[in-house]
Amino acid sequence: MPIHKNSIIPLTIESLSSDGSGVAHYEGKAVFVPATAPGDVLNARIVKDMGRYSFAIVEEMLQPSPAHIEPDCPVCKPCGGCCFRHLNYETEARAKQSFVEDAFRRIGGLDTPVLPILPSPLEERYRNKVQFPVGLDAEGHVIAGFYAGRTHRIVPYADCKLQPSELNQIAAFVCEFMEAHGIAPYQEEKHTGLVRHIFLRKGWHSGEILVCLVVNGRKLPHAQELCAALTEQFPVIRSIVLNVNRQKTNVITGLESISLYGPGYIEDTLCGVPVRLGPLSFYQVNTPAAEQLYGVARQFAQLEPGDTLLDLYCGMGTIGLSMAADCKELIGVEIIPEAVESAKLNAAAMGVENARFFCADAGKAAAKLADEGLRPDVVCLDPPRKGCDEATLNAVIAMGPRRIVMVSCNPATAARDCRYLADRGYRPLRAQPADLFPRTKHCECVIELVREN
Ligand code: SAH
């Protein structure tokens, strides 16, 4: 039976979906309601009926669940980034635990034991990176904020609680400077204007800050004045760079960076690995939670002194380098050149001499290394959200490692890839979820797989 648009129906929320909505049932059919908590009793208004399920919004909250809290952010709703800001953290962590359990059971068809989730050591201001789009408000003032869900409309907000206040203050300072000096924000529809994004990084342990302005051009008017003003106001700024992006694209950064002040990067450490952070390399955004996660990966790897470790999708090498002392040889593969350069420098800074890093596609490199006779004892896989492709998994299987450690930011593709490996002789022994992104729907996990017989 279709439920008509705008019908008001009574619901009790039962659980949370992996995209952050509350889930209830009405006449046997699933109904998804954003900004609700398990246990909420409400009247909902149907906004879209999809046949087998429907989408609704809260019309009237009759009895909020004890898990439901008042969001402590005035722009939570239009921004949409923190789809769990209305939940207490225990409920959020439990939901993420079940996302991983459900993915393994339903998508993977696997009965892999899922360990209790490791909560993030910090629930607020945990991010070490933020990328604010820049634009104009209705009065023509320069603003920085976040895009409202599924749009490119900027929701300005002075103090987003996901990152240190200092980074928010720097963004506001840059906006004021742009306005005072007539520097135009980029306008996507017309492909005119200059400043597209304010991209900031702060070293968790070092406190150093990188300011990067992504620009539709190669020059910034009043650049030296901006550098002087910023570094006077925020002395922890170590580098200021321009990143050139003149494409009509949603991709935030371009390939070329021009240094305006300082060495063009900041330094920090992750699991004791020294890292140089420029604007282009992938780096986990929640340092203390990532250190927990990589600690688990190291435990799952169970390296022995004579082992060779192959670290695919290695970024700037942090996972492999954090285990380099446990093995004889480390080989890292990563597709972004800047990240590979960082990995090499990080290894050198640590005095690690048993590591090699290649800039290549993981699947192609793994196939080539397998052809050359490489037989790593342990392989670490840490792919982007879309997971590994079959070519990569086949090459890994062909190398026959004793163990595979999979680190994933997407339980659905992790479960799919574990199924593929399980069907080819690798048993997923256990999965450890870890929350690196409190208040948002994202969840990370590490899986330990062993070769059978
Ligand atoms: N292991 C690293 C990075 C993980 S994120 C860390 O913990 O920091 C995933 C990484 O995979 C990114 O650095 C991305 O640039 C890289 N990547 C994406 N597609 C790839 C491919 N086809 N081959 C190799 N690396 C790839």
Side-chain angles (χ1 to χ4, degrees), residues 282 294 313-315 318-319 334-336 360-362 382-384:
F282 173 89
Y294 291 178
Y313 310 92
C314 72
T318 35
I319 295 184
E334 159 63 42
I335 206 159
I336 302 279
D361 168 72
D382 184 10

Side-chain angles (χ1 to χ4, degrees), residues 121-150:
L122 283 114
E123 290 160 38
E124 303 290 1
R125 305 206 186 273
Y126 56 83
R127 288 188 63 99
N128 58 32
K129 174 181 103 168
V130 55
Q131 317 179 89
F132 294 108
V134 186
L136 294 174
D137 67 9
E139 280 95 55
H141 294 297
V142 179
I143 52 167
F146 293 108
Y147 288 134
R150 290 186 214 88

